[in-house]
Amino acid sequence: MSPRSQVTHAHDTDNEPLVRMVGISKKFGANQVLRNVDLEIRAGEVLVLAGENGAGKSTLIKILGGVHTEFDGEIWIQGRLVRPKSPSDAAALGVAVIYQELSLVPTMTVADNVFLGRSIVKRGFVDHDEQRRRAQQLLDQLGIEIPVESRVEDLPIAQQQLTEIAKALARNARVIVMDEPTSALNAPEVEKLFNLVKDLKQRGCGIVYITHKMEEIQRIADRITVLRDGEHVGTAPASDLPPARLIQWLVGREIEEQFPRHAATPGHERLRLRGFTVLPMHGQLRPPVENVDLVVRAGEIVGIGGLQGSGASELFMGLFGAYGQNVRGEALLDGKLLRIQSPSTAISQGVALLTNDRKATGLVLSMSVIANATLAGLPRISPMGWRRPALERSITASLCDRVSLRAASLDMEVEWLSGGNQQKVALAKWLQTEPRLLLLDEPTRGIDVGAKREVYQLMDALTQQGLAILLITSELPELLAMSDRIIVLHRGMVTAEFDRSSATPERVLAAAMGRQMANRG
Amino acid sequence: MAHQNHQYSPGTARATIGLGIFLVSLLILIALFAAEVLAGFGELDQKMQTAITGLPGISSVLGLAMNLFHCHALTAIKVVFYVGAIIGLAVAARAGRETRGVASWLNLPVCRAILALVLVFLLGVVFSAEGAFGIVGTHRDALRQASVFGLLACGMTLVIIGGGIDLGVGSVLALVSVTFSLMSIHWGWQPWVSVPACLLLGAMCGGLAGTITAGFRIQPFVATLAMMVFARGLAKTVSGGTKISTAVKNPDGTFRYVDVPAVFRFIDSRILDGNLSVVTVIFIVCAVLTWILLARHRWGTHLYAIGGNEEAARLSGVPVTSTKILSYVASGLLAGVAGLCQAAQEQQGDPETGAGYELTAIAIVVIGGTTLTGGRGGIGLTLLGTLTIGYLEKILSINAVPEASRLMLTGVIIVAAVLAQRRKR
Ligand SMILES: Nc1ncnc2c1ncn2[C@@H]1O[C@H](COP(=O)(O)OP(=O)(O)OP(=O)(O)O)[C@@H](O)[C@H]1O
Ligand SMILES: [Mg+2]
């Protein structure tokens, strides 16, 4: 190819965007979700698609990805009017999508998932060796360490998300859409993903990136399109949208102070762990949590820092009784021995656990908002076992107010809520049990700036009333700002403990990577 | 190809037209049927025949069809409207996906179950077997014959909503039916002893299967398949491999005939001037009780949660194992009730009875719209499914459709109904 033709090629793509979506409207029954939305994806740039929970971002992307096929409006891909009829149709048009709610087959291996739908075939049979080799190659390229042979359901959520990313990249698509790809990733993996995005940009791919995280938007956005309540608020170069203005676009008003945390007034000892250990399960070699000592006082938020495999989530699950009696060590709740048997005993003693994977372990998607919100509290709502629908409804309504849920109706199946609103339902469920100790594993996963602030406010208010919170979050700013103390885990063991004044991003990260800190108190 | 423009018009107009055609056809069919019942089939048919012969164009077409299919003029006309109703409905249902209002209700499982029932019912109106469909007795028998299946289907609904399946119900029915006959006919037990004992037996069978699957984590399909074989064997053991009937064998090898026990006669009797079978009443009472448990008790909610997402349910404090076991107990109990009814109706305990009933029960549940994957559905839907299958069987039998074609037709209709129930994502 001559240099000249290359120039014209580049010139062409400058003028003609890779994808142009014009006047897209979409209804679910009576619920108008998108109203006349435009979207333009250009080669070699990152377009951030931003908006509150339920604004219609995922829906817009699903239309492009051939998931929703009934809509009004036009889609132009490289100058051709198209209408993706199925995900494979969209893939053939050069569009790859990393979906928010992961679309992996849990019982298949990582390699099989990466090549799902386009298996490498030799003489009519799937060539597993070749698939494994290619998958390994791809993962190496991405700098991801996941055993390609392991089944997806055995992997933690972060690795599942990485697999989903690898699957989309394996398609060599021209347009890559990432719907909240980092919601379960930790700092180092996010870094890898960003390098990858840079790489893709240089290769002339167009990237759509959906996120609720401000730092991410500032780091990688070239242009930003904002949706609000299904309408196109506007599109602008990232440089024209400083954070304050962006937030104004997103929520339609200004937001003061991102992290509303009052100085804690710690009360008596709520939880004390001594030598808490979770025994190894299904073929693990080491205990996922080993000899953890920690104290949480009433009215306190204690953050748990750590990277993938730190054992923080397992600590929560073990404490909550999700592993049955597979734990050792001593746990005292308000000075009394905490009986660890099953989740129901934990709930009856005033412990609540918001898990980090709302779809797999948090919600029953086929049930209504009301049924989900009251599920953990049924023994209290209906002591004799007979249900009280009116009471359930009013309880749910007030809970939904507290977490500012946006749902067309409380009888709607949770499956049809947007990701962030699903998260809010999961949170509402645990508020309903009025716990003494709240274990929060990624509580703001996938929720928008406005709602995040409301969750923080809620955490603050709850601790003012004497609740104790243990918090796991992969977002460092959140961890630093919301925690009164931070305990860092590495491979299941405590490596450091900081109070508010001594915690800095560098020191927390260093401890999370396994460096023992001297100032452990 | 690239420049096709698929603008979707709002389907409201099409939906309205479709529904209109459906309703008009429906009304005409009902009017024809009413006239037929009032005037007598032969009378009306005769009039139709003469009316049609008056119109040259139509008569030749209809006449041809009548000769080809050996049917009456009246039936031929009704078939035309029946086809019209189906087409109207199909049009409305397609349009209903995009519109709101009445047509979008067609997407609800309840509506679909009702429509399936209406279509089957109309089939009876069309092929009324020279008016037989207009007689009260036909409906009473349809309901009576559906009741045993309905009882099994209620239990099956509970288990399926909880994410399981119960293949053992047909055999448990046979076991209870044999035991009940033995107790009532041979041993002369009083009903207040034999009935609770038999129900306990059914519940225990269910409890055993439930414990194996939920307690020991064996796939429900396998655990209840084992129960299906085991209970059948037990039924044969209990009965000694023969039918337990009122012909009781004496020690010297001769037979003596005893009276049919009073409890059998009671269960097999009718109330309301002979217009309603007691079996049907039993079924309805059981269905209502099951509905109350499922929709108004915590246990039902827990069952839905387990079927929808077992892990999330467990982490929300739902007692998964006991809830699941109880659903199998309930299923066994209801199979026991069905067994009592079966014994009373057959006036004997046949160890071979009820074979394949579990599959009919599953078909009923699925046609109603309860999903086999669990978590969604209800007793109301199953009630509609029971009526659909019950009427289908009855209509085929009053029209003297031979057994072989009946089975094939039933298979086809099950697939059609399930296709219509399929959820669109
Ligand atoms: N299949 C569906 N059926 C009915 N309603 C739906 C369906 N999918 C989405 N919705 C509704 O459409 C609206 C937009 O949802 P969408 O998932 O696009 O939001 P989002 O912008 O991606 O939000 P989030 O940031 O929380 O992921 C929500 O109100 C949601 O309840
Ligand atoms: Mg979304």
Side-chain angles (χ1 to χ4, degrees):
Chain A
M1 198 186 274
S2 74
R4 202 186 132 85
S5 73
Q6 257 174 5
V7 169
T8 26
H9 184 70
H11 185 75
D12 269 348
T13 49
D14 268 359
N15 282 343
E16 183 58 49
L18 291 176
V19 173
R20 214 149 54 80
M21 298 176 81
V22 187
I24 305 287
S25 298
K26 167 82 189 161
K27 259 195 256 178
F28 288 111
N31 187 5
Q32 180 96 38
V33 174
L34 290 173
R35 226 172 273 126
N36 212 1
V37 173
D38 298 337
L39 185 82
E40 209 176 283
I41 308 170
R42 299 182 190 153
E45 71 157 22
V46 175
L47 173 74
V48 164
L49 183 56
E52 296 184 286
N53 295 133
K57 307 180 294 295
S58 299
T59 306
L60 186 63
I61 287 322
K62 284 181 185 163
I63 287 174
L64 180 62
V67 176
H68 296 314
T69 51
E70 280 160 20
F71 60 93
D72 292 333
E74 294 175 353
I75 301 178
W76 298 79
I77 293 186
Q78 300 185 343
R80 285 200 315 146
L81 182 61
V82 296
R83 205 171 172 98
K85 282 184 280 303
S86 65
S88 58
D89 197 20
L93 290 166
V95 177
V97 183
I98 300 167
Y99 288 106
Q100 181 178 13
E101 311 299 340
L102 307 180
S103 59
L104 302 171
V105 181
T107 50
M108 289 173 43
T109 66
V110 170
D112 288 340
N113 264 292
V114 167
F115 290 101
L116 190 65
R118 338 160 289 128
S119 307
I120 301 172
V121 179
K122 203 164 89 187
R123 283 187 234 107
F125 292 95
V126 175
D127 186 350
H128 285 287
D129 291 336
E130 178 66 9
Q131 280 197 3
R132 230 166 290 153
R133 211 179 52 72
R134 296 261 289 271
Q136 189 67 58
Q137 215 173 22
L138 192 76
L139 292 175
D140 288 347
Q141 250 174 36
L142 307 180
I144 304 171
E145 281 167 37
I146 303 178
V148 286
E149 292 281 5
S150 52
R151 294 204 301 178
V152 164
E153 63 187 349
D154 297 334
L155 297 176
I157 177 95
Q159 296 199 345
Q160 291 188 15
Q161 199 155 41
L162 291 170
T163 308
E164 178 89 19
I165 292 171
K167 178 178 157 193
L169 294 181
R171 315 214 150 190
N172 282 324
R174 197 68 204 285
V175 176
I176 297 163
V177 183
M178 306 185 179
D179 195 349
E180 303 193 32
T182 57
S183 62
L185 298 188
N186 281 297
E189 293 129 22
V190 173
E191 219 46 51
K192 278 177 202 156
L193 181 69
F194 280 11
N195 286 335
L196 201 81
V197 167
K198 217 182 286 169
D199 222 46
L200 291 171
K201 256 167 76 167
Q202 266 156 17
R203 278 196 255 151
C205 293
I207 292 158
V208 181
Y209 194 97
I210 300 179
T211 183
H212 291 294
K213 300 183 184 176
M214 285 304 190
E215 321 86 67
E216 292 186 358
I217 297 183
Q218 267 146 51
R219 279 194 54 191
I220 62 164
D222 294 314
R223 275 185 323 130
I224 304 176
T225 291
V226 176
L227 301 184
R228 194 195 309 146
D229 286 336
E231 294 194 48
H232 186 193
V233 178
T235 300
S239 51
D240 292 355
L241 277 183
R245 182 126 181 268
L246 176 59
I247 289 178
Q248 172 110 46
W249 274 31
L250 286 171
V251 285
R253 64 193 149 84
E254 277 174 53
I255 284 194
E256 345 72 78
E257 200 197 0
Q258 177 70 52
F259 297 106
R261 176 74 183 139
H262 292 92
T265 44
H268 64 283
E269 224 172 76
R270 177 54 50 85
L271 176 76
R272 170 177 283 278
L273 296 183
R274 259 192 234 114
F276 192 80
T277 301
V278 175
L279 301 180
M281 285 161 299
H282 10 259
Q284 283 168 335
L285 297 176
R286 296 177 314 106
V289 178
E290 211 173 341
N291 258 329
V292 168
D293 299 342
L294 67 82
V295 173
V296 190
R297 287 177 220 295
E300 210 179 20
I301 299 179
V302 174
I304 300 195
L307 305 178
Q308 224 194 82
S310 71
S313 298
E314 286 82 355
L315 172 67
F316 278 16
M317 294 286 261
L319 199 54
F320 190 62
Y323 300 145
Q325 288 161 350
N326 246 344
V327 294
R328 295 290 175 270
E330 192 182 44
L332 298 174
L333 188 70
D334 284 330
K336 281 200 309 188
L337 205 61
L338 178 72
R339 279 174 299 123
I340 299 179
Q341 280 167 8
S342 67
S344 56
T345 46
I347 294 168
S348 67
Q349 295 171 88
V351 183
L353 165 64
L354 179 75
T355 58
N356 61 10
D357 187 349
R358 56 176 172 259
K359 200 173 166 190
T361 56
L363 296 167
V364 183
L365 295 179
S366 57
M367 297 207 305
S368 69
V369 174
I370 294 182
N372 270 285
T374 55
L375 186 59
L378 280 183
R380 283 193 322 148
I381 297 174
S382 41
M384 302 302 295
W386 298 110
R387 290 186 40 201
R388 297 156 75 185
L391 180 67
E392 286 176 12
R393 181 173 298 274
S394 69
I395 287 178
T396 308
S398 73
L399 281 172
C400 291
D401 246 22
R402 273 169 85 184
V403 296
S404 54
L405 180 85
R406 239 184 252 188
S409 127
L410 294 183
D411 298 306
M412 180 170 168
E413 282 180 17
V414 170
E415 181 164 7
W416 310 127
L417 290 178
S418 78
N421 281 310
Q422 289 181 354
Q423 184 74 15
K424 292 176 191 172
V425 174
L427 191 59
K429 173 171 78 179
W430 293 115
L431 295 184
Q432 205 279 312
T433 65
E434 294 179 7
R436 289 186 281 173
L437 172 67
L438 185 55
L439 310 174
L440 296 177
D441 197 347
E442 303 285 354
T444 58
R445 185 172 167 218
I447 68 181
D448 63 48
V449 267
K452 251 184 205 164
R453 186 167 180 285
E454 281 158 25
V455 170
Y456 299 145
Q457 238 165 3
L458 198 68
M459 287 165 62
D460 192 51
L462 288 170
T463 49
Q464 302 271 329
Q465 294 159 19
L467 190 92
I469 294 180
L470 265 172
L471 168 73
I472 300 177
T473 168
S474 52
E475 275 187 82
L476 216 44
E478 182 176 302
L479 183 72
L480 293 172
M482 291 308 295
S483 315
D484 303 318
R485 280 184 299 126
I486 295 175
I487 288 168
V488 184
L489 293 184
H490 173 71
R491 293 179 170 245
M493 286 184 278
V494 177
T495 51
E497 181 168 340
F498 303 97
D499 53 24
R500 199 173 268 281
S501 55
S502 64
T504 63
E506 295 76 26
R507 297 170 79 178
V508 171
L509 262 181
M513 310 249 215
R515 234 158 296 154
Q516 286 283 344
M517 299 302 264
N519 69 341
R520 168 120 226 267
Chain B
M1 164 76 198
H3 285 272
Q4 278 174 339
N5 200 350
H6 314 242
Q7 282 289 331
Y8 276 72
S9 68
T12 324
R14 267 182 297 144
T16 320
I17 293 172
L19 277 180
I21 294 177
F22 171 67
L23 286 177
V24 168
S25 312
L26 188 72
L27 287 178
I28 292 177
L29 277 174
I30 290 175
L32 279 175
F33 185 61
E36 172 188 327
V37 170
L38 292 179
F41 180 83
E43 198 79 11
L44 196 65
D45 185 43
Q46 204 56 55
K47 281 190 191 137
M48 284 289 164
Q49 199 95 44
T50 31
I52 286 173
T53 345
L55 311 166
I58 299 177
S59 77
S60 53
V61 177
L62 274 184
L64 197 69
M66 279 154 51
N67 284 335
L68 230 98
F69 298 108
H70 302 289
C71 66
H72 297 274
L74 184 55
T75 309
I77 291 171
K78 286 195 286 193
V79 166
V80 171
F81 284 108
Y82 187 68
V83 171
I86 290 182
I87 291 175
L89 207 57
V91 168
R94 268 201 76 78
R97 288 211 220 121
E98 301 143 39
T99 51
R100 43 169 127 169
V102 182
S104 71
W105 293 354
L106 294 179
N107 290 330
L108 296 178
V110 197
C111 270
R112 300 201 160 194
I114 291 176
L115 286 174
L117 176 58
V118 167
L119 287 183
V120 165
F121 198 84
L122 284 183
L123 206 59
V125 168
V126 173
F127 299 103
S128 66
E130 318 216 338
F133 197 68
I135 302 168
V136 177
T138 310
H139 297 269
R140 180 193 63 215
D141 287 348
L143 292 180
R144 182 176 60 78
Q145 285 157 4
S147 295
V148 165
F149 293 116
L151 282 164
L152 298 181
C154 282
M156 190 69 76
T157 309
L158 297 174
V159 174
I160 286 180
I161 285 177
I165 191 114
D166 190 353
L167 297 180
V169 290
S171 300
V172 172
L173 176 144
L175 174 60
V176 169
S177 145
V178 166
T179 317
F180 188 46
S181 305
L182 206 60
M183 288 172 174
S184 308
I185 300 175
H186 284 204
W187 303 344
W189 288 19
Q190 292 302 313
W192 53 84
V193 185
S194 58
V195 169
C198 286
L199 294 184
L200 187 68
L201 178 64
M204 271 167 48
C205 289
L208 183 60
T211 310
I212 294 172
T213 169
F216 300 104
R217 288 166 200 258
I218 291 178
Q219 299 239 321
F221 191 92
V222 178
T224 58
L225 186 70
M227 176 50 71
M228 167 175 156
V229 180
F230 179 81
R232 179 72 62 191
L234 193 57
K236 287 185 184 175
T237 312
V238 168
S239 67
T242 56
K243 295 176 182 168
I244 311 284
S245 65
T246 48
V248 182
K249 201 172 183 180
N250 288 321
D252 60 8
T254 56
F255 286 90
R256 85 192 133 88
Y257 289 86
V258 297
D259 273 349
V260 176
V263 59
F264 277 32
R265 272 184 276 121
F266 170 71
I267 294 178
D268 199 26
S269 65
R270 300 168 190 157
I271 55 170
L272 295 181
D273 293 339
N275 286 332
L276 189 63
S277 305
V278 170
V279 177
T280 308
V281 177
I282 293 177
F283 163 53
I284 290 170
V285 169
C286 287
V288 170
L289 289 179
T290 321
W291 178 82
I292 290 176
L293 279 180
L294 194 57
R296 286 283 170 267
H297 195 275
R298 191 165 72 207
W299 176 68
T301 315
H302 285 169
L303 215 47
Y304 279 104
I306 291 170
N309 185 344
E310 187 169 330
E311 185 62 6
R314 193 174 72 92
L315 290 175
S316 302
V318 172
V320 173
T321 310
S322 61
T323 305
K324 276 206 214 167
I325 291 179
L326 273 180
S327 72
Y328 287 93
V329 169
S331 176
L333 188 68
L334 286 163
V337 177
L340 300 183
C341 298
Q342 185 84 350
Q345 288 181 340
E346 293 185 345
Q347 301 201 337
Q348 62 178 14
D350 181 358
E352 304 287 348
T353 197
Y357 280 25
E358 58 280 337
L359 301 181
T360 309
I362 294 171
I364 287 175
V365 173
V366 173
I367 284 177
T370 297
T371 52
L372 268 181
T373 45
R376 289 192 177 95
I379 293 293
L381 295 176
T382 296
L383 218 52
L384 292 169
T386 307
L387 293 177
T388 308
I389 285 279
Y391 268 106
L392 182 64
E393 293 275 318
K394 191 74 207 167
I395 290 160
L396 293 179
S397 78
I398 58 175
N399 282 288
V401 178
E403 170 84 15
S405 338
R406 208 145 86 193
L407 288 175
M408 291 195 290
L409 254 175
T410 311
V412 170
I413 290 180
I414 286 176
V415 171
V418 173
L419 272 181
Q421 273 293 1
R422 193 162 56 179
R423 289 167 58 86
K424 215 179 118 60
R425 53 161 292 160

